[in-house]
């Protein structure tokens, strides 16, 4: 992997991460992600170009708005760094190819979904619904997933969580999983194919159980404490990029 190209990829990833911060803030509020230009949410002053350099401007400004002095959340540069890191990791896996572009855009959507779900416990339809056909097309024509595998991924992905959600609601007499999670897993299945769902559901369920129980203990909550599942599905999908195929090869070769 060329170090120079990796640095450029990382910079592009950080810039995209800055835009993802805008999406995470505005999409739940049903605001345009394009207009108006980036501005401080506290004083509404437009952010100057030199104050909008990913990660660097945060450090220079000491984490505060230049105009009103309001503290800027540390999450902004962390999301920029996360997006940059994922861009480099995906470049390491796919090289400078169309697969890199498709995988990175897919991952960017997952980052937005993750943080919106953490904040509001919703997965916006504006991302997941168009994401299903777009991921299907990207899978078939870019990622080289067989047509029927990607199609089955949509049906199986949406079907698995739908059955779990209905079963849980029937047993517990309350909703345990929203429709957004169902659409998200259908989107993941469309992008990776149906076999990937074995890995994604296993990883997300294990991570969700461990972190969910830990949070319940820390916060002193009972089993009714709501933990958004979308971030864990997104985590399982990202892990699939790097560990999914070896897992499936082992699973099906030893079955």
């Amino acid at each position: 992997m060329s170090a120079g190209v990796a640095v450029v990829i990382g910079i592009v990833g950080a810039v995209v991460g800055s835009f993802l911060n805008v999406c995470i803030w505005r999409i739940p509020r049903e605001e345009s992600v394009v207009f108006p230009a980036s501005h401080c949410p506290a004083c509404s002053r437009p952010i100057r170009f030199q104050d909008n350099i990913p990660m660097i401007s945060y450090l220079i400004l000491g984490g505060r708005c230049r105009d009103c002095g309001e503290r800027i959340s540390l999450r902004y540069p962390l999301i920029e760094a996360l997006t940059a890191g994922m861009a480099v990791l995906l470049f390491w896996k796919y090289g400078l190819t169309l697969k890199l572009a498709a995988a990175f855009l897919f991952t960017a959507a997952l980052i937005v979904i993750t943080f919106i779900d953490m904040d509001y416990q919703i997965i916006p339809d504006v991302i997941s619904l168009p994401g299903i056909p777009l991921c299907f097309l990207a899978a078939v024509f870019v990622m080289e997933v067989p047509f029927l595998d990607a199609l089955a991924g949509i049906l199986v992905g949406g079907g698995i969580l739908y059955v779990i959600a209905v079963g849980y609601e029937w047993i517990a007499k309350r909703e345990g999983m929203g429709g957004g999670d169902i659409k998200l897993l259908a989107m993941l299945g469309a992008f990776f194919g149906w076999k990937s769902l074995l890995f994604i559901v296993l990883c997300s369920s294990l991570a969700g159980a461990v972190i969910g129980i830990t949070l319940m203990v820390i916060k002193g909550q009972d089993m009714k404490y709501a933990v958004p599942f979308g971030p864990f599905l997104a985590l399982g999908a990202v892990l699939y990029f790097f560990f999914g195929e070896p897992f499936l090869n082992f699973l099906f070769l030893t079955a």
Side-chain angles (χ1 to χ4, degrees), residues 3-81:
V5 177
V7 169
V8 173
I9 293 292
I11 292 172
V12 172
V15 171
V16 172
S18 181
F19 175 69
L20 298 187
N21 278 319
V22 174
C23 294
I24 292 166
W25 175 264
R26 297 188 185 185
I27 287 176
R29 294 170 172 79
E30 299 184 352
E31 298 175 1
S32 169
V33 298
V34 180
F35 301 106
S38 296
H39 56 276
C40 172
C43 66
S44 299
R45 296 283 185 88
I47 298 176
R48 300 168 180 80
F49 174 80
Q50 66 270 24
D51 294 339
N52 207 22
I53 302 172
M55 296 178 285
I56 296 175
S57 292
Y58 182 89
L59 296 175
I60 293 174
L61 293 170
R64 292 186 180 275
C65 173
R66 182 184 295 274
D67 293 303
C68 68
E70 183 73 17
R71 181 167 292 280
I72 302 169
S73 173
L74 181 60
R75 198 169 79 174
Y76 286 93
L78 289 180
I79 289 175
E80 292 163 355

Side-chain angles (χ1 to χ4, degrees), residues 4-14 83-84 87-89 91 96 100 104:
V5 177
V7 169
V8 173
I9 293 292
I11 292 172
V12 172
T83 311
V88 173
L89 287 174
F91 171 63
L96 206 58
L100 167 63
F104 178 66

Side-chain angles (χ1 to χ4, degrees), residues 7 12 18 23 41 44 56 73 81 88 105-106 109 111 115 117 120 123 130 154 198 204 206 228 232:
V7 169
V12 172
S18 181
C23 294
S44 299
I56 296 175
S73 173
V88 173
L105 290 174
F106 173 74
I111 291 173
F115 286 94
D117 201 17
Y120 299 95
I123 296 175
I154 298 174
L198 299 171
S204 59
L206 288 175
F232 300 110

Side-chain angles (χ1 to χ4, degrees), residues 133-166:
L134 289 175
C135 284
F136 174 79
L137 293 174
V140 174
F141 295 106
V142 179
M143 305 304 291
E144 300 177 359
V145 176
F147 178 91
L148 291 179
D149 281 11
L151 181 61
I154 298 174
L155 301 176
V156 174
I160 286 176
L161 285 194
Y162 179 76
V163 170
I164 293 174
V166 171

Side-chain angles (χ1 to χ4, degrees), residues 184-208:
L184 176 57
L185 193 59
M187 186 177 108
L188 303 184
F191 190 80
F192 290 118
W194 70 271
K195 292 180 183 178
S196 69
L197 300 174
L198 299 171
F199 179 91
I200 293 171
V201 171
L202 176 62
C203 287
S204 59
S205 298
L206 288 175

